[in-house]
Amino acid sequence: EDCICDQVAAVSLGLVDGQILVDLDYAEDSDCETDMNIVMNDQGGYIEIQGTAEGAAFSPDELQAMLELGNKAIEQLIQHQREALADRQA
């Protein structure tokens, strides 16, 4: 029997007018130069990384910056998940 043993969280990111944004709204997503989705577990492991250049190619530095910001956002989401689960068990 398989079980889910890790917490999992995901974020979408985009490069919009040279800035990296997390959790884009529809307008931002429609106009972004790069669209990326990252899924990670609470151990810091990647489950999925999907990124697409929507016009011009993105650079290795931009990729690294998107991964770093995505990692931080996912860490925050996982912390919120832990807090919500702790509240339910209290």
Side-chain angles (χ1 to χ4, degrees):
E1 238 178 88
D2 291 334
C3 70
I4 297 174
C5 300
D6 297 322
Q7 288 177 259
V8 174
V11 294
S12 63
L13 301 106
L15 189 60
V16 180
D17 296 326
Q19 278 194 320
I20 300 169
L21 304 178
V22 177
D23 193 25
L24 285 72
D25 64 23
Y26 179 80
E28 292 164 336
D29 189 52
S30 297
D31 291 337
C32 70
E33 293 106 43
T34 300
D35 184 23
M36 179 168 283
N37 300 301
I38 301 173
V39 182
M40 297 178 73
N41 65 22
D42 61 344
Q43 303 301 309
Y46 291 102
I47 296 169
E48 179 180 4
I49 300 173
Q50 180 274 324
T52 305
E54 301 289 340
F58 52 93
S59 71
D61 288 341
E62 290 169 328
L63 172 61
Q64 186 61 39
M66 285 186 279
L67 289 174
E68 288 174 11
L69 187 57
N71 291 355
K72 288 178 186 175
I74 288 174
E75 286 174 11
Q76 291 176 349
L77 288 171
I78 287 173
Q79 183 59 38
H80 288 303
Q81 289 175 355
R82 287 186 179 138
E83 291 167 6
L85 290 171
D87 288 347
R88 292 190 82 196
Q89 294 175 351

